[in-house]
Amino acid sequence: MKKIIAQGLKYKYPLAETLALNDISFEVEAGEFIGVIGKNSAGKSTLCQAMVGLVPHFYKGAYGGKVLVDGLEVKQHSIADLSLKVGMVFQNPFTQVTGSKMTVYEEIAFGLENIGLPRDEMLKRIDEVLKLLKIEHVKDHNPFDLSGGQLQRMAIAGIIAMKPEILVLDEPTSQLDPAGSDEVFRAIHELSQQGFTVIMAEHKMEKVAQYCNRVLLLDEGKVAAFDTPEKIFSRDDLESYGVTAPVYTRVCRALGVKNAGTDCYPVTLEDAEMALRGVIK
Amino acid sequence: MKSISLYVDRESFVHDVDPITKLIYILFAILVPIILPSFTVSFICVGISLLLILAAGVFRKTLPIFGFVFLVLITVVIIQGLFRPENETVLFQIGPFAMYQEGLHYALKITLRVVNIVGAFMILVLTTKPSHLVESLVRKGMSPRIGYVIVSVFQIIPEMMASMSTITDAQRSRGMETEGNLLVRIKAFLPLLGPVVLGSLINTKERAMALEVRGFNSRTPKTYLNVEKTYAYSKGIQALLLLLIVGAVAWRIFL
């Protein structure tokens, strides 16, 4: 089943001269983990926001083409309606805190109160997501006292509790330390395994290669390529898109070692090890 | 995290009473002395407020606030006592200045009213969590957006102050003078405004987006995580207070 269908999506921010998204078309199947990569201002964040309706409802601006999210056309539905289908987590964990709640527990309830969920169901879902994201031990803390990693997991919990089937993450770990970002990636990976469709814009290519089924390479608002991580990171013109391949791929490329039986370089540590051991033998 | 709310966490029956009843009490404490302008009524209202403050165990917290209020009221007493146009009867003389009975009488009336109003508000502010108050108002039909703005101020202002001190430290580490006479301090303040104001504007945009994707503008009626706190006698107390206000009006008109 197709979860997301974008057809000829074009978008220009108000007061901008150029199109932020220029004729974007792609399809995402249910349960896929999609990485969105590209250099800064390639349109990654704009594309993420176009899935949840912030583009065009929040910014206004010129909009063309269409995006269907789980059968709903983004242009025709409010952000609140879409929030039941697709959730979004932003870069900065600190600005995602509502600031109107005194504890992590209440903070997670914020979205559920807004969508008018009965209280019993609310309690059940909050306990569930606290466990899922491993933040039960801080549930009575004030959100502003948490670490970056915990805060970001709380933000994800707040979104997951609303039970969307699609999760959009816009560089969720760019402001976190390595330990915090590992916590977050592990949580996202777990959600993906539970059947969530995940779209993640990210700069850490090793993580993209490790977790994503397919990678969408953006360049100046256009889709440059949409393929498996192996094919994307084995491209010779990757540098011209401002993307550096994972370190394992670069090592194997320098050594001229490809995955056995294919024309692609390894993209993860495990693949690289296998390929290199194969060569040594 | 430091809080800018004055709420004092205690166990008392005043804390248990729901915020709406406390709001009605404020209405009562303001209206009744105006409707019935006798000293006895004013004294009784002040007395009730003070008793409630004592019962809630927050009397000490009220002292600095009353101290400030009295500072203002002393000037009222002096000015009215000396210069009120209706002044006729000299009560006593301090050097060349004469204190008049009419002026002091009027000053006492103002003092009682102010103490009364401040006292009634203090009961609400010191014994009710801001979030709790706002939630009850939203349940009664206030817009959740206005409610959000009020509650978030209590957390976001301290956050902004924290980021302000971080920026101050950063500027100081680059050699900016932040201590000294007034001029130096004012000069040090200007370079802070840019980052703090711009930073909070950007934060506000991001926060607005984060609220949007969590259904902030959803048209479905809101539900609440916290069970509505009800006090057994609150309906009775509310009815009594409203009855007393109506009674006071009737008293004023017919007697």
Side-chain angles (χ1 to χ4, degrees):
Chain A
M1 203 189 114
K2 303 256 186 295
K3 273 286 171 191
I4 298 175
I5 304 172
Q7 288 170 345
L9 174 63
K10 287 185 182 184
Y11 179 69
K12 187 168 80 65
Y13 283 102
L15 308 177
E17 295 285 315
T18 51
L19 289 172
L21 297 177
N22 191 356
D23 203 13
I24 294 211
S25 301
F26 64 93
E27 291 179 352
V28 176
E29 298 285 335
E32 272 192 297
F33 195 143
I34 305 291
V36 180
I37 61 170
K39 59 171 174 270
N40 289 330
S41 80
K44 300 189 297 294
S45 292
T46 313
L47 183 62
C48 287
Q49 290 169 14
M51 312 271 170
V52 294
L54 287 169
V55 165
H57 301 303
F58 185 81
Y59 293 102
K60 314 298 176 205
Y63 189 86
K66 64 177 176 182
V67 180
L68 289 168
V69 173
D70 213 5
L72 296 183
E73 190 177 341
V74 170
K75 184 113 198 282
Q76 314 297 340
H77 290 83
S78 72
I79 300 175
D81 290 343
L82 289 163
S83 69
L84 299 175
K85 297 278 184 193
V86 46
M88 177 158 180
V89 177
F90 297 83
Q91 266 182 46
N92 187 339
F94 298 95
T95 56
Q96 286 177 74
V97 183
T98 61
S100 70
K101 302 290 184 184
M102 297 307 286
T103 67
V104 170
Y105 201 85
E106 292 174 359
E107 174 75 27
I108 294 174
F110 181 82
L112 306 180
E113 290 179 332
N114 288 335
I115 59 174
L117 208 68
R119 184 166 179 271
D120 305 340
E121 175 72 15
M122 227 188 262
L123 298 180
K124 214 173 76 194
R125 284 200 195 175
I126 298 172
D127 286 335
E128 226 172 84
V129 293
L130 282 172
K131 203 176 291 171
L132 192 61
L133 289 147
K134 305 195 175 61
I135 45 175
E136 279 165 305
H137 56 290
V138 294
K139 72 179 166 125
D140 295 320
H141 292 212
N142 186 302
F144 285 106
D145 293 337
L146 300 189
S147 73
Q150 290 170 331
L151 215 47
Q152 195 64 301
R153 280 184 290 156
M154 179 189 77
I156 298 175
I159 292 294
I160 295 298
M162 295 169 77
K163 295 234 162 126
E165 286 161 44
I166 305 162
L167 187 58
V168 178
L169 304 133
D170 186 4
E171 297 182 34
T173 64
S174 63
Q175 309 213 355
L176 303 182
D177 55 28
S181 72
D182 274 348
E183 287 167 10
V184 171
F185 275 119
R186 231 171 291 139
I188 299 170
H189 180 59
E190 196 146 312
L191 292 170
S192 161
Q193 301 224 304
Q194 291 198 359
F196 277 91
T197 307
V198 182
I199 313 281
M200 178 176 75
E202 186 54 68
H203 278 296
K204 295 180 178 121
M205 296 306 158
E206 285 76 20
K207 301 290 184 188
V208 172
Q210 186 180 350
Y211 295 120
C212 296
N213 304 114
R214 285 197 292 164
V215 176
L216 185 71
L217 175 61
L218 283 180
D219 186 51
E220 284 166 10
K222 292 191 172 132
V223 178
F226 188 26
D227 218 324
T228 59
E230 287 80 10
K231 289 223 177 91
I232 294 279
F233 292 127
S234 300
R235 286 170 75 107
D236 295 323
D237 57 354
L238 207 54
E239 297 279 329
S240 69
Y241 296 114
V243 174
T244 317
V247 62
Y248 318 114
T249 315
R250 279 180 283 152
V251 168
C252 292
R253 182 190 283 272
L255 296 171
V257 178
K258 293 188 174 174
N259 274 340
T262 65
D263 202 27
C264 298
Y265 296 104
V267 294
T268 61
L269 179 61
E270 291 75 23
D271 288 359
E273 191 191 352
M274 290 230 300
L276 286 169
R277 280 188 196 282
V279 168
I280 292 162
K281 275 174 198 168
Chain B
M1 199 190 69
K2 59 177 190 284
S3 164
I4 56 169
S5 137
L6 292 170
Y7 172 70
V8 187
D9 201 6
R10 292 271 156 75
E11 294 276 328
S12 82
F13 79 93
V14 183
H15 282 76
D16 289 340
V17 174
D18 60 296
I20 302 291
T21 309
K22 288 177 194 163
L23 282 174
I24 294 178
Y25 177 74
I26 292 178
L27 196 73
F28 164 83
I30 292 174
L31 282 182
V32 169
I34 292 176
I35 299 167
L36 299 174
S38 88
F39 279 126
T40 330
V41 174
S42 296
F43 270 118
I44 291 173
C45 285
V46 171
I48 299 175
S49 294
L50 281 181
L51 279 179
L52 289 173
I53 288 172
L54 283 173
V58 293
F59 184 69
R60 278 178 59 186
K61 280 272 178 180
T62 65
L63 291 179
I65 299 161
F66 275 127
F68 176 73
V69 169
F70 278 128
L71 206 67
V72 178
L73 287 174
I74 285 171
T75 62
V76 172
V77 171
I78 293 171
I79 289 171
Q80 297 292 347
L82 292 177
F83 305 121
R84 187 167 168 78
E86 287 89 46
N87 282 351
E88 275 178 1
T89 335
V90 177
L91 206 60
F92 56 91
Q93 197 103 24
I94 309 169
F97 303 109
M99 277 294 198
Y100 292 90
Q101 192 185 351
E102 290 80 5
L104 285 180
H105 194 264
Y106 184 71
L108 179 63
K109 197 164 103 183
I110 292 183
T111 308
L112 278 175
R113 286 224 178 125
V114 172
V115 170
N116 193 17
I117 293 171
V118 171
F121 269 102
M122 218 99 81
I123 293 175
L124 177 76
V125 170
L126 294 174
T127 67
T128 317
K129 268 190 201 162
S131 55
H132 190 175
L133 169 65
V134 169
E135 198 170 290
S136 333
L137 289 173
V138 171
R139 276 184 216 262
K140 290 279 178 239
M142 187 175 79
S143 152
R145 295 177 192 216
I146 296 174
Y148 171 77
V149 170
I150 298 171
V151 180
S152 62
V153 161
F154 284 94
Q155 287 213 46
I156 289 169
I157 297 281
E159 267 310 286
M160 268 174 80
M161 277 155 61
S163 80
M164 185 119 165
S165 81
T166 311
I167 295 168
T168 315
D169 288 344
Q171 310 285 44
R172 202 178 328 185
S173 73
R174 294 191 292 173
M176 190 179 74
E177 289 283 347
T178 55
E179 276 153 27
N181 61 32
L182 190 67
L183 195 69
V184 173
R185 279 166 194 262
I186 291 172
K187 265 200 254 166
F189 190 65
L190 288 177
L192 291 181
L193 287 178
V196 172
V197 171
L198 284 181
S200 35
L201 285 179
I202 293 168
N203 284 355
T204 306
K205 179 194 136 196
E206 287 179 9
R207 185 162 280 131
M209 291 201 292
L211 292 180
E212 284 284 346
V213 299
R214 290 172 76 184
F216 189 55
N217 282 323
S218 167
R219 272 190 227 108
T220 342
K222 236 174 104 88
T223 48
Y224 302 90
L225 172 70
N226 300 319
V227 184
E228 191 170 8
K229 201 165 126 185
T230 47
Y231 181 60
Y233 309 112
S234 62
K235 280 278 172 291
I237 297 173
Q238 287 178 16
L240 181 71
L241 289 173
L242 291 174
L243 210 68
L244 283 173
I245 295 174
V246 175
V249 173
W251 180 290
R252 181 68 195 263
I253 294 172
F254 298 114
L255 291 172

